[in-house]
Amino acid sequence: MSHATTTRQKVLVFRELPLAQLARLQAAHEVTVANPRAGEAQRAAFEAALPEADGLIGSSYPIDDALLARAPRLRVISSISVGVDNYALAALAARGILLCHTPGVLTETTADTIFALIMATSRRLVELSQLVREGRWTKNIGEDLFGRDVHGKTLGILGFGRIGQALARRAALGFGMPVLYTARRPLDLAAQAPELQGHARHAPLDEVLAQADIVAVTLPLSDATRGLLGAREFARMKPGAVFVNGARGAIVQEDALLAALDSGHLAAAGLDVFATEPLPLDSPLRTHPRVTPLPHIGSATIETRLAMAELATTNLLAALAGQTPPAVYRGAAAG
Ligand code: NAP
């Protein structure tokens, strides 16, 4: 046996990869592709491959304690996402399983999506486009269908990491919007984001909620942020404010959001993410007149999904070769 053959390891791809990245994996390792969300046969193939897998690569599927217990050989998981809320972080740390992710390559695209939701909700783009499509544009629209300005409004950003700062650049530098942000520690803007100096200010959550015209969530989902936004928080927002979530659905208590929309306290919500995805057909958020729902498309462009697949593949190949991957998730160590 050649050296290359003896070092071939077992890789389980649990969400479809583009052909070029799949080929990179297949050149080096034994690869099984099985998406457990794509029907019974795929699910059975995934379960059959799990006990032998040295490495996993994929996204959008919970890798919990019970699943990890069925994968005794596992040494690395390469997530095709920046968020790591699907992974049992404590169990991974306890077993020394490396977790890699895809920060950076999706930052600008996701900020674009969130800004698109800000525009769509504030200017009622989807609702008014629908009016044209349905043949209801029979006279000039009246005040009852006017939107609200975005430029010059105060934007509250919850979580001020890569995506939060990219969103702030769009808002502050492109649309003249003062930015208030929450973070566990204020940023040193002079050192970390000099272009935002004089445009963005750190404030406690309650102050951001009370002063912003538009509130956008860019926080990771963690024990600290699950259910963070409930009835109390929505009540603190300005009457007529707009709420946008481009992070993770479970950060929001969806019943409380619905109540704030139904009462008219909030003007609109733009939601790329939901507590349960795909959004159940019976969810009132799906058809609510004040909600613009999207099917979790934050990073879903041709260029960015390819860049994510490429980085995730590089991460996995490096880890299996005993090298340090370019994007290891280190958040757990930081607490
Ligand atoms: P990031 O750079 O790690 O930013 C997250 C920010 O949130 C950090 O500044 C972090 O700062 C802060 N934070 C964490 N916990 C907090 C808390 N309890 N209270 C206040 N601030 C807190 O991550 P990113 O690349 O911007 O991505 C953010 C999230 O966006 C991801 O985790 C993912 O869930 C979501 N996302 C969604 C999509 C989509 O398709 N819709 C696409 C990409 C990403 P400190 O830790 O210093 O406090």
Side-chain angles (χ1 to χ4, degrees):
M1 256 186 201
S2 76
H3 179 70
T5 309
T6 56
T7 59
R8 285 176 79 83
Q9 298 170 58
K10 296 222 164 69
V11 166
L12 175 52
V13 179
F14 64 97
R15 178 175 182 164
E16 295 73 10
L17 271 178
L19 288 179
Q21 284 71 36
L22 193 59
R24 284 183 68 200
L25 292 176
Q26 284 166 334
H29 300 290
E30 303 303 324
V31 178
T32 302
V33 180
N35 180 348
R37 297 176 71 189
E40 259 324 296
Q42 293 260 341
R43 190 179 164 71
F46 174 82
E47 286 297 332
L50 209 46
E52 298 297 317
D54 300 292
L56 290 181
I57 179 167
S59 70
S60 311
Y61 191 69
I63 308 290
D64 58 14
D65 290 339
L67 189 148
L68 289 172
R70 303 196 295 280
R73 295 173 52 97
L74 196 62
R75 290 188 294 114
V76 53
I77 300 176
S78 180
S79 188
I80 315 172
S81 68
V82 65
V84 293
D85 45 284
N86 267 326
Y87 304 95
L89 298 180
L92 294 184
R95 275 187 47 191
I97 297 171
L98 197 63
L99 178 61
C100 304
H101 65 151
T102 62
V105 293
L106 46 59
T107 298
E108 301 297 330
T109 297
T110 307
D112 284 347
T113 305
I114 298 172
F115 209 87
L117 272 176
I118 290 174
M119 294 299 289
T121 46
S122 302
R123 298 298 304 274
R124 303 171 70 166
L125 296 183
V126 177
E127 176 187 355
L128 293 174
S129 179
Q130 199 66 24
L131 177 138
V132 180
R133 283 169 169 266
E134 291 172 357
R136 291 185 285 118
W137 186 25
T138 53
K139 57 180 171 52
N140 289 345
I141 67 154
E143 202 177 323
D144 57 323
L145 291 176
F146 289 173
R148 289 157 194 267
D149 278 338
V150 172
H151 66 269
K153 293 291 176 67
T154 297
L155 175 63
I157 302 180
L158 311 187
F160 208 57
R162 289 171 291 254
I163 296 169
Q165 291 169 48
L167 181 63
R169 286 195 295 276
R170 283 155 180 73
L173 309 181
F175 284 71
M177 300 170 78
V179 171
L180 293 173
Y181 71 90
T182 68
R184 286 181 285 195
R185 287 168 295 277
L187 259 73
D188 176 359
L189 289 183
Q192 292 172 266
E195 70 280 14
L196 291 175
Q197 268 186 300
H199 297 287
R201 180 169 69 81
H202 176 262
L205 177 62
D206 280 355
E207 185 183 334
V208 175
L209 294 173
Q211 292 198 12
D213 301 298
I214 300 160
V215 172
V217 186
T218 66
L219 285 162
L221 175 61
S222 67
D223 290 345
T225 63
R226 188 177 297 278
L228 180 73
L229 298 167
R232 179 190 161 283
E233 289 69 31
F234 290 120
R236 288 201 175 245
M237 288 173 61
K238 281 185 181 174
V242 167
F243 177 76
V244 170
N245 188 0
R248 286 290 184 269
I251 297 170
V252 174
Q253 297 175 31
E254 290 181 341
D255 288 352
L257 173 60
L258 269 168
L261 290 162
D262 282 337
S263 73
H265 181 63
L266 294 187
L271 306 173
D272 186 42
V273 288
F274 298 88
T276 303
E277 296 180 2
L279 185 61
L281 288 181
D282 62 359
S283 168
L285 293 171
R286 189 171 67 84
T287 52
H288 197 288
R290 294 171 187 264
V291 174
T292 303
L294 292 178
H296 200 145
I297 59 159
S299 64
T301 64
I302 292 165
E303 300 91 333
T304 292
R305 283 293 169 85
L306 192 60
M308 291 165 68
E310 181 66 11
L311 176 54
T313 301
T314 300
N315 279 335
L316 184 61
L317 288 173
L320 290 176
Q323 298 154 2
T324 304
V328 175
Y329 176 71
R330 300 186 194 280

